[in-house]
Each structure stands twice: as structure tokens, then as C-alpha cells.
Amino acid sequence: MDQKVSDVKVHKMGAWSPGPGCHGGCGVEVSVKDGKVVNVEGMDDHPWYQGRACARVLAMTQYMYHPDRLKWPQKRVGNRGEDKWQRISWDEAFDICEKRMKEIAEKSGPESIIFTQGTGRDVGGMISFLAYAYGSPNWTMLGLSGHSCFTPQLAAGYVMQGDFSFPDAAQFLPDRYDDPEWKAPEIAISWGSTLNRGCVDHYWSGHWFQDLMKRGTKLIVIDPRCTWEATRAVLWLQPRPGTDGALALAFLNVVTSEGLVDKAFIDKWCSGYDQLAERVKEFTPEWAEKISWVPKEKIIQCARMYAKAKPASIEIGRPVEGNPEGNQVIMNIHRLIAITGNLDIPGGNVICRPAYQVTTYPYSTEEVIQLYGADLHRKLSEKRIGADKYPLVKQFRAWAQEDCIIDQMETGKPYPIKGLWIQANNFLANQAQDTRRHYEASKNLDFVCVVDTFMTPTAQLLADIVLPAASFPEKDSIYCIGGPLNVIHKVVEVEECKSDWEINFTLAKRLNPKAVPWGSVREMLTDRMQPSGYTFEQMVDKVWDLAPKGHKCGSRPYRRFEKGELRKDGKEGFRTPTGKVELFNTSYEGWGLDPLPYYKEITPQGPITTPELYKEYPLIMMTGRRSPVLFHSEHRQIPWLRECDPDPVVELNPETAKEKGISNGDLVWIEGTMGRFRRKAKVTPIVHPKMIMVPHAWWLPETEGKSPNSYGIWDLNCNQTIPMGHQDSAGFGGGPISGMLCKVYKA
Amino acid sequence: MSRKGLLIDYDQCSGCHSCAVACKQEHKYPEGKWGIKVEEKVFVDPKRPNSSVRIDYIPFPTEYCDLCAARAKRGERPACVKACQSWCMYQGTLAEMTVLMEKMPRAVLYSR
């Protein structure tokens, strides 16, 4: 729906990356004058954000017309890292990519190119589409350990009840809080999440929690670091990083031993309750206190408050799955949600499905098969890296396993890796743990193409070809990852930038014309949106839509398990083998994994695992606190955003700082057993004296891009001190993103 | 015409900086020039229950805040009020604002 005011035309659309970077889903108004975007702000008549907007959306004009934006295709003319580039035409860029990729497919097989996406953008759809057209099963997010960026949450939800769930903030109801069916939860737990950093991490806006609190919800925060929300909570638990699993088990222990469960729900809709109750007997609050440092009284209080409230909800942050046995931790939280009867009820944790089951990109194996056919999927699965080792990699999400990829890049076994297609992924500045190892493994590949909006350290150090991606007002796409179906439509062009869809569509057509039966990207998007009954053009006018009540797609709450809306066969129950919430997990049992909860302290370092080392490195490093204005490695060059969060800092407790003679603003080294990096000290009581917090993904685009400086990543990147290879027994979850030991001293 | 004010229920401000950037976009203020700027304040009181630490954010309207006069002419609310993710900012006459303020535990009123 577009309105014209004088010579400015206002276009309404969904906002998704490139641009804000996040998982968004908000509605925005984009004002265009003389072919240029002049203003972007929130859209009042969109239910998710209702006129509100984050700083990243509000700075879009600076992002789109930034002088450093990639404007046209370039090829490398010097050595990797030398910062020598030559402008080329799109035709030449596509010719080079086609030729090099076809050569690699002939010589080594298409599986030897890894297709790696980042987070945020709608890029998952186009990258899997390109990988499958080319014939590679190795679609992934290189640099993560154990897929630890939301995928464990998807996987844990999938094995427990066939779907994942989110706290209910009426986000699936067009009238939101005014819908008479909706209720505010009595208690909401925010577990390991900086909610007010907007919707950067989930399809869930942090500020919805504030909406709930204004409607009477009491908040409990579980976080090793004191957040703003913690200071507004009725209860704050401060665990040692990496011990959320112990807390989850102790909560299960309290709730089952005190009988604070929803017996009717358990009897009808869950299986394995008695076995669960028996198993968690050993995980007492006393036991959990020793591990987590949270006093047992607070553990008991938290469990009781949550279990006695009805409804109550839990929001699970990313660090929770980055725990030892991360998938297991999330599964245990799902067990807690189910046995207290808080699943898919108003104000509880509601099952999250995209409107009409239209998806932006395939999440599950089932969807991959639907999209690309069972034969191709079977053929490709045999070669997917990690599928032979991890059943969830084979059975659930068709992503190659990142820890196994890095091993294979080094050994060349069982087959060599020859190329990387990198789209919206700046892993050397951002998520790649053991960063040097990733760089060494990638620097001599035969072919590397990077698609991005700005030149990044990763592109400088690795790419042969760099392609400029369009930001959201420059492209046609859809947003549908759990919540409304939003349409994004192209209203302007910036230089020669092309959308990720256009780029991959064109290249896929060149590589394998049979895989691209559509004439245009819009035609393909309409095909993808087919379950909704809308064409792309119809949705441009409508902007957003949620499925109506009772729709068979099962995307509208509540109590869908009673109505047969969750299972394909239309029967009551959940989308699991037994139709129940599987507290005793038959999928895990079938894969030879423990079907019941357990605890493993497998953090490679820490006061319990390596007490001697803890004396030498007396601080526990947490990483990755979210910024209100910067998304992962993006936005460091956007003036309006950078000035709100200007420096690569490390947060230190005043006691810790005093002991080391460190003052606010001093440059300090943070050193672990794998190396050291430098930061500016921010002395603040919000961190525990035995812990530090290091915001991740810092690089300095204002400094030299040429190696060895490479925009400062080797000086700043905290992930250099974090190892790979600590994924959990399912291959999902794990990785000591928080929990490594370190020491801090003045630089 | 009665004097206008900007009411900030800062107990609810979560520090998202949306007001600051919305203001910059509206007024085309360059880097370094703010119409409103968010400040972080952290205080420790060991006697405080639950958490000894208290974090407050407060959006500070500067001399360059004109209460979005141009937007007011178009019948739109100020850019900061619209963008505020916490919905903790309000604009109206001083009389209207003081009525709202009575129900807020901690709020500040700016007028010009």
C-alpha cells in the first residue's frame, strides 16, 4: 500500500536485511523522493511493532548511501589480503563464477564447495537454492560450533514436541493484546537474553516483554550479567556462565518432587513423565548450587514461582544453547514448559509456525525434500559433512556440521574442500571460533566468492570475487519465519547492487537451468507463497498477513494439539512419533542418545574442569552481549549508530579493575590459553567480579583493510581465544562461547 | 497557544537509542549533534533487594530539540515519541503531561 504526499512517495513494507541486519519482521514506511530513499520509520498499522522502530531501521538512509558501500562487482587483482580490486561488469562476474564453479564440480564434485550464509538476511532461501541447483549438500553457517545460533532451539523443539515455541506476546494475533483470547503471563522468565536489544536474536521483540509487564506480568531474569531487565525483575538469578543445564535440571527436580505439575496435561499429552521424575531426583538444588553458584533458595524460589503461576512463559536466549550439551539444556527447558502445562496456551509458550506455513527458507529436512525432491535430498545427504556422525544433522536440519567442516577443510578427508560461497557472512570478524584456524583453512581455496553490502575483513582476506548485495528497499523478497507473512518490495536502485535472490537466481540458472523453472524472482516468490493463496503483487498491497483462526496450516494459536492442527494426519496431539510431548525422547533413543535428562560439565576450562588453570587465569570470559544499535559485525561504519556504541570494550567489575590497576577507558589485553586480544576497559558493576563480558564481532572499517591489519580483527576478535570441537552429543549446541578462562592486564 | 512538553517515563526506558537516531534522521543532524541523547546511569546500593545494581537510562533532550515542529505541522507525533520501543515518551501540553506524570514512579518533563 503506497501513499503519495507531495513529491515524496511513502511505501509500506516488511523490513528485513540487508540493512537492519536482524530477524526483524517489523513493518516500515519507506519515503522515496527523486528515486532516493529519504526517510524510513515504523509503520503504525503493522501488528508486530506498531509504529516503533529500532535504531538500525532509522539509520537506513546512512546505510544505503554510505560512500563505502559495495557498488559494483569486483575481482581481486593482487594476492589475497592485499586490497587490490578491479571493477568488473555483472556479466563478467557471473562468467567467472560459472566457469570456476563448473571446473570444480567436474574435477572434485560439487560437494567440494561450501555454501555459507550468515544470520539475519533472507539469505537462507537463496543460498540453499543455489547450493542444491549446483549439487552441493554443504549449506551451512561456517564458523559456528554445533550450529549454536538458534538451530539447537529448533532442533530441541522438534524432537520434544515437533515444533519450537516462544513466549506468547499475542504476536500471532492481528489484534495483539486486544484479542479476547490472549492473556498476559503471570510470570515470564528471560533466560540468557538481553531483551531490550530489540529483535536482533529472534522473531520476538524484546520490548514485547515490556508490553507484558505493563499488563501485569512479573519478570524473572536468569543471566550471569546484570541487565536492565534484571534490575526491573522480581527475581534475578546470576549463574556461572555455561551452567544453565544444571539450573534447568534443578528446576525439574523441584517441580516434580513438589508435585507442582499439570497432571491433566501430562496424563493426556505427555509421555515418559515417571521416567523423567525418577531421573531428575539426583539433580537437587544443593547439587545445582555447587555448579552454578546460584544459592539453592533462589533456585527453589524460581522453580516455584514459575510452576505456580498460570500462565507462565520462558524466553530462551542464544547463550543457553551455547552451553555444554546445549541441545539437552533446551530440551530440559521444553520439558519444564510442558509438565507445568504452559505449552500452546494463552500467555504460555506458544508453538511458532510461519503464517500459512510459507517459509522464507527450509528449516527442516521435510521442507528440503518438499522443495528439492526426495531423490536429490537422499543423494546429497550421503555427502553432507557431519551427517554420518550426527543423526540430527541427517534427520533434522539439512546444514553441514561446522566443527566437522573445519576438520575436513584441514584433512581433505573424506573429500577435499575446494571453494567457498560466502553470502552475508563475515565469519573472520564475527562468529568463527579459533579464528586463525578458519583463516588458515580457507586462505588457499581454489575459489571464494563473497556477496555482501560492505567490504569486510572476510572478503578482503579470502575473496576472489566480491558481489554487491542490495539492501531491503532495493529488493523483492518475503519474510516468513514464524509470524506474519511480510512482503518486501523494491522501490529504489543503488548503483549496481543486486538482491541476493537476483544474484543466486541468475547464477543457478547458468549452472543448472532445469533447477530454475521460473522466469523471474517474483514468479518464484509467488510460487513459494502459494499456500497463502496470494501472489507477490497482491501481498505488496497487503504488506502483511496472519493466517485466520482454525486454518489448517496450524500457525494460529491456541491449544492446536487438541484440534488436530499440528499433525499432517490431522490427528490430535503433537508432531512427534508418539503424538505426545516426549519427555522420554524416542527420537533420541532411536539415535542411540540418552532419551532422558543428564548433566555433563564438559566446558573445556573452568573452576570445576581445570581448577589449576583457574588459579593462573582467574576470570571467566563471557562474550556476545548484544548492542542496542549494532548487529553482530555490521554497522560499525554507520555514523549515527557507531556514535551510540563507539568502542570495542570489555566490561570489568570495579573490584577486578582495581586489583589490576585498570581505569575506565584504559586499553587492556585479555589473554586466554589460546592467545590474546585487546579492548578498551569499561569498568562497571553490572558484571560479576569473577567474570568479564566481551562484546563480539568488532572490527574497525575506518582502519586499513590490507593484511596484516585487516581492519583490526587480529587485535580485537575475542573468538581467537575460543576453541571449536565442543559440540554436544547430537552435533547441535555446545561450544564454549562463554565460559573460557582468561586474565586481564593493562596494554 | 499553551506550552508543549515531552514527558519521559524513564523508569521504562530500556536504552535502545531509537529516539536519538529517529531525531537525527528527522533533523538530518550529523554525527556529534544530538537533539536527544540516551545516557546510562548505574548505581550500586548493597541494601537494595534482589540486585544491588540499578541501571537507568535517560533520554536527554538537548538545545537542538524543537519538539519536532515540522512534524507537528503535518499532524504527526515527534520522531522520538513514535520510534520509542519502550513506549515511554509522550508529548502534549504541559497540563496533559503533568496528569500522566502523576501515575509514573520516575519521570521527567521537558518543555521549551
Side-chain angles (χ1 to χ4, degrees), chain A residues 39-42 44 49-55 58 196 207 210 214 228 231-233 236 640 643 682, chain B residues 11-14 18 24-25 29 32 34 40 44 50-51 53-56 71 77 82-87:
Chain A
N39 193 71
V40 183
E41 56 188 77
D44 282 318
Y49 239 31
Q50 300 158 302
R52 296 179 266 191
C54 71
L58 297 162
N196 64 14
H207 289 84
Q210 270 183 274
K214 286 175 185 170
W228 177 84
T231 69
R232 301 300 191 270
W236 172 40
W640 287 342
E643 65 182 328
K682 181 179 178 182
Chain B
D11 190 50
Q12 287 290 329
C13 174
S14 71
S18 284
K24 280 169 171 282
Q25 175 176 236
Y29 287 154
W34 310 78
E40 184 185 70
V44 179
N50 193 26
S51 160
V53 178
R54 172 90 185 175
I55 304 171
D56 279 318
R71 288 177 72 99
R77 56 207 193 276
K82 180 178 178 186
C84 174
Q85 294 187 75
S86 298
W87 275 334

